[in-house]
């Protein structure tokens, strides 16, 4: 097993350590591991067990993250290691996020960047499992990637400490922050083993202060996590703290892992959630995981012109001026980066 000394930890008495990467802030005794199982104390020094150990490497359209207002049409090299700091009973990547054995292919940061170049990507995404728990690997890769002109994006549950946000932010261009069940604290406790959602809000504010582009998702889980009132509260918080131009993606749940008897989210519920987000004052609400739904598209919030038409991960019509304005009323649509017109490709795995 290869060891790489961890970032952001404290050495305490009696060879104990405290990890300050995620909001669990695990106290780890000599020989022990943190909640995520991928950070180990050996003789009073905390190590990452997953540095450069990629469990997957795939080429994805950036819309899959989802990022709809950031470098549209771009391709990203997606990487992940095993491990997670959540225990979501509905995780669709549970085979790798909840894996207890350290496994993966040796893929150092320079090889990630090389693969990104060879596959015509414009950026790197740290995704599938929680990137906070493989921060050292993500940090070194992101730094190198930035030096040679790639952008970097996190797909994260947002349970990061402010210190972790500040550490990665100089190299992080965008973050998709995933809520579940309308951010209901009881839902998080019951279905994800997460004691509090407050750290996620703090991390979002820190990402905002550090100039990282933010898009938010919320997984709408039928019966147990589909309160329209909670979704409205979440949308209101987003508007008041991150701005009304922040995209909110309302994602359809599909049965997976331990929640196999819960049905997929009814489209009607997603549409109610979409209306609640719009009524709360957000300019850009989306329905995700429902290919062909009109709420996959971007509409001008001023005149309702359809400005970006999508089908699943694909942009099928681009109707914005070169300076990202509505062609009818000239309202500016907040898009960071540029259009990559020929970038679309179906996702494919490299291993
Ligand atoms: S990253 Fe892992 S070890 Fe560190 S605080 Fe979070 S769960 Fe604990």
């Amino acid at each position: 097993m290869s060891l790489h000394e961890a970032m952001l930890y404290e050495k305490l008495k009696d060879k104990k350590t405290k990890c300050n990467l995620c909001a669990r802030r695990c106290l780890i005794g000599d020989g022990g591991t943190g909640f995520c199982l991928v950070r180990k104390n050996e003789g009073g020094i905390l190590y990452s067990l997953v540095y450069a150990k990629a469990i997957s490497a795939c080429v994805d359209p950036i819309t899959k993250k989802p990022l709809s207002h950031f470098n549209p049409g771009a391709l990203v090299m997606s990487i992940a290691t095993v491990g997670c700091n959540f225990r979501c009973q509905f995780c669709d990547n549970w085979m790798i996020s909840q894996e207890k054995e350290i496994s993966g292919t040796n893929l150092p940061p320079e090889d990630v960047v090389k693969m990104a170049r060879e596959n015509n990507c414009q950026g790197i995404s740290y995704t599938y499992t929680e990137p906070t728990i493989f921060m050292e690997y993500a940090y070194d890769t992101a730094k190198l990637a930035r030096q040679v002109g790639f952008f970097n994006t996190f797909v994260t549950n947002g349970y990061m400490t402010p210190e972790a946000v500040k550490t990665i932010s100089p190299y992080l261009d965008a973050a998709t922050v995933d809520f579940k069940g309308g951010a209901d604290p009881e839902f998080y406790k019951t279905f994800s083993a997460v004691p509090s959602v407050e750290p996620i809000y703090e991390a979002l504010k820190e990402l905002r202060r550090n100039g990282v582009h933010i898009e938010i998702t919320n997984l709408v889980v039928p019966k147990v996590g589909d309160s329209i009132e909670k979704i409205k509260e979440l949308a209101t918080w987003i508007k008041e703290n991150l701005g009304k131009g922040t995209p909110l993606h309302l994602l359809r749940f599909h049965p997976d892992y331990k929640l196999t008897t819960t049905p997929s989210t009814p489209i009607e519920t997603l549409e109610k959630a979409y209306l609640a987000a719009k009524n709360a004052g957000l300019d850009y609400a989306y329905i995700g995981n429902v290919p062909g739904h009109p709420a996959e598209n971007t509409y001008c919030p001023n005149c309702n012109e359809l400005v970006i038409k999508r089908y699943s991960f694909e942009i099928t019509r681009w109707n914005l001026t070169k300076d990202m304005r509505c062609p009818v009323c000239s309202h500016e649509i907040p898009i960071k980066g540029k259009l990559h017109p020929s970038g679309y490709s179906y996702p494919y795995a490299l291993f």
Side-chain angles (χ1 to χ4, degrees):
M1 188 180 293
S2 63
L3 298 174
H4 186 99
E5 188 168 357
M7 300 170 88
L8 295 177
Y9 78 100
E10 294 168 51
K11 292 180 180 173
L12 305 175
K13 277 201 299 193
D14 303 324
K15 294 188 176 175
K16 288 190 181 124
T17 56
K18 183 182 181 191
C19 175
N20 290 318
L21 264 186
C22 94
R24 290 193 187 271
R25 296 194 190 267
C26 295
L27 283 172
I28 309 169
D30 190 7
T33 51
F35 184 91
C36 57
L37 305 179
V38 299
R39 314 180 72 71
K40 185 169 188 189
N41 178 340
E42 291 262 8
I45 297 174
L46 191 65
Y47 294 99
S48 164
L49 304 178
V50 291
Y51 186 87
K53 269 200 179 315
I55 195 69
S56 58
C58 301
V59 176
D60 288 327
I62 200 159
T63 32
K64 188 172 174 232
K65 300 298 118 194
L67 285 171
S68 296
H69 289 235
F70 180 83
N71 283 288
L75 287 179
V76 288
M77 178 81 200
S78 295
I79 58 162
T81 72
V82 296
C84 191
N85 54 351
F86 279 18
R87 294 285 177 268
C88 301
Q89 294 180 24
F90 44 84
C91 181
D92 56 3
N93 287 321
W94 63 272
M95 296 84 83
I96 54 176
S97 70
Q98 303 304 317
E99 173 61 64
K100 292 184 175 60
E101 297 292 319
I102 302 299
S103 51
T105 300
N106 184 43
L107 191 71
E110 47 280 16
D111 287 4
V112 177
V113 172
K114 187 165 168 268
M115 283 166 89
R117 193 181 292 115
E118 286 169 356
N119 286 279
N120 302 316
C121 297
Q122 287 80 38
I124 319 267
S125 260
Y126 309 85
T127 178
Y128 304 142
T129 60
E130 175 51 43
T132 312
I133 61 97
F134 61 89
M135 180 64 87
E136 297 77 10
Y137 184 26
Y139 180 89
D140 284 356
T141 306
K143 198 171 172 185
L144 192 63
R146 177 67 74 75
Q147 280 167 8
V148 294
F150 291 105
F151 61 74
N152 295 293
T153 93
F154 265 28
V155 182
T156 171
N157 56 36
Y159 208 59
M160 302 166 85
T161 60
E163 305 95 282
V165 174
K166 280 192 192 110
T167 300
I168 193 65
S169 285
Y171 306 107
L172 190 63
D173 298 282
T176 309
V177 177
D178 297 333
F179 281 98
K180 305 115 187 3
D184 177 358
E186 289 309 312
F187 180 91
Y188 270 75
K189 279 181 200 151
T190 308
F191 293 100
S192 300
V194 175
S196 167
V197 290
E198 283 309 312
I200 306 173
Y201 295 120
E202 292 309 310
L204 275 166
K205 288 194 247 178
E206 195 62 45
L207 283 164
R208 181 76 174 173
R209 278 193 283 273
N210 283 273
V212 177
H213 172 84
I214 300 168
E215 301 201 18
I216 292 178
T217 74
N218 174 49
L219 185 70
V220 184
V221 185
K223 298 184 183 135
V224 290
D226 62 356
S227 157
I228 299 302
E229 201 45 47
K230 289 268 182 280
I231 291 166
K232 197 172 165 193
E233 282 172 23
L234 176 62
T236 303
W237 186 91
I238 294 167
K239 184 189 160 201
E240 288 174 356
N241 292 277
L242 307 175
K244 66 180 185 152
T246 307
L248 172 61
H249 304 261
L250 298 150
L251 303 182
R252 189 179 201 195
F253 165 88
H254 292 295
D256 214 326
Y257 193 32
K258 295 179 180 172
L259 282 196
T260 49
T261 55
T262 305
S264 294
T265 322
I267 304 296
E268 195 187 18
T269 307
L270 292 164
E271 288 172 344
K272 281 186 193 157
Y274 173 86
L275 277 180
K278 296 288 277 183
N279 289 339
L282 290 183
D283 282 347
Y284 305 100
Y286 296 98
I287 289 177
N289 298 342
V290 186
H293 194 284
E296 286 192 308
N297 303 327
T298 304
Y299 301 91
C300 172
N302 187 48
C303 73
N304 212 32
E305 171 75 359
L306 195 167
V307 290
I308 308 174
K309 190 167 168 58
R310 300 183 183 83
Y311 183 86
S312 187
F313 303 142
E314 189 174 9
I315 293 170
T316 54
R317 185 171 167 232
W318 182 262
N319 184 31
L320 282 168
T321 61
K322 277 198 177 123
D323 58 350
M324 304 292 183
R325 289 177 184 276
C326 170
V328 174
C329 71
S330 294
H331 184 82
E332 189 175 353
I333 309 295
I335 307 267
K336 201 163 175 186
K338 60 176 187 175
L339 173 68
H340 300 268
S342 58
Y344 177 73
S345 165
Y346 286 97
Y348 59 91
L350 296 163
F351 60 78

